[in-house]
Amino acid sequence: MTNELAEILDRAYEIIPDAKTGLPQEAFYFVSKLTPMVNVELLIKNKDGQSILSWRADDFYGPAWHMPGGIIRFKESIEDRIMRVAQSELGCRVLFLPEPLMVRPLVNKQRDVRGHFISLLYLCKLESEPDSKLKADPVTPENGHWMWHEKAPQNLLSQHESFRRFIDDTPAF
C-alpha cells in the first residue's frame, strides 16, 4: 500500500463513526463500488397468503413496489437485521424461518454504486401489526408506505422480479 493511500485510509477511519451503526452515505457509496453488499429481503405473508410490499421511489431504483429489506451492517447478525428492517420500514415485529428461501446475487451491470448485492430472502409473518399511519393509498402510494398484495404487482421493482414466484406462490407459515 502506498503511503498516500495509507494516510487517506487512516483519515477515513478517524472520520467514519462506528461501522456497526451504518456508514455515512459517501462512505457507503464508496464501499459499494468495491465489494458486493449482503442484504436481507423480507417476504412477509399473512394468513390469507397476501404479501406486504413497500413503495419505493429513489434515485437508484425508481418508483416501484418492493419487499422490505436492508443491508447487513458490520458485525450485525442476520436475525438482528431482519428485526430492524421490520421495525424501521413497517413499524412492527416479525417471526421468520431460520433458513432463507433463496440466496441470489443481484447485479446491475450499468452501475457501480449500489450495483452488486448478495440477497437473502426470508419468509416472515407478522408478530405485531404494521404501523397503520404508513399504510399506502393504492392509487398514489408514497415512499416508504406499505400495502398487502394478493400477487406481485406489475410495477414490482425490477431487481425483485426473481422473487415474483415467491410472492405469488409461497404460502404463509
Side-chain angles (χ1 to χ4, degrees):
M1 179 169 12
T2 67
N3 284 340
E4 181 182 9
L5 181 56
E7 289 172 16
I8 291 169
L9 292 176
D10 284 343
R11 180 71 179 123
Y13 290 133
E14 292 172 11
I15 295 170
I16 296 173
D18 183 5
K20 292 186 284 290
T21 61
L23 296 173
Q25 186 172 337
E26 297 83 2
F28 170 71
Y29 290 166
F30 176 75
V31 171
S32 79
K33 289 175 83 169
L34 301 175
T35 187
M37 301 283 106
V38 180
N39 70 296
V40 296
E41 306 288 357
L42 281 55
L43 175 60
I44 302 171
K45 303 291 274 194
N46 66 17
K47 61 181 174 24
D48 297 324
Q50 298 171 314
S51 301
I52 198 167
L53 301 175
S54 296
W55 185 254
R56 180 178 192 158
D58 65 25
D59 293 337
F60 286 98
Y61 295 102
W65 290 103
H66 75 102
M67 287 183 286
I71 295 166
I72 300 169
R73 306 302 194 264
F74 183 64
K75 295 192 177 183
E76 179 180 51
S77 71
I78 290 170
E79 295 80 9
D80 285 346
R81 177 57 19 204
I82 290 170
M83 297 308 287
R84 285 185 179 109
V85 164
Q87 185 59 51
S88 67
E89 292 196 27
L90 302 169
C92 66
R93 295 184 52 81
V94 294
L95 300 171
F96 56 94
L97 295 180
E99 298 295 323
L101 294 174
M102 181 182 205
V103 176
R104 181 177 187 285
L106 299 172
V107 178
N108 183 326
K109 294 182 188 246
Q110 285 72 48
R111 186 175 59 236
D112 290 334
V113 173
R114 297 192 68 170
H116 188 176
F117 294 89
I118 306 300
S119 198
L120 311 172
L121 176 63
Y122 282 88
L123 180 59
C124 306
K125 69 179 177 180
L126 294 177
E127 188 175 38
S128 65
E129 290 302 310
D131 186 342
S132 61
K133 290 179 271 184
L134 297 176
K135 188 172 183 179
D137 175 333
V139 177
T140 56
E142 295 180 38
N143 194 38
H145 287 200
W146 60 266
M147 191 169 82
W148 288 106
H149 293 262
E150 298 289 332
K151 297 284 184 187
Q154 289 302 312
N155 54 348
L156 184 67
L157 188 75
S158 63
Q159 287 74 14
H160 283 193
E161 277 299 326
S162 62
F163 302 134
R164 181 176 290 277
R165 66 186 169 104
F166 293 100
I167 295 169
D168 290 350
D169 300 329
T170 301
F173 76 95

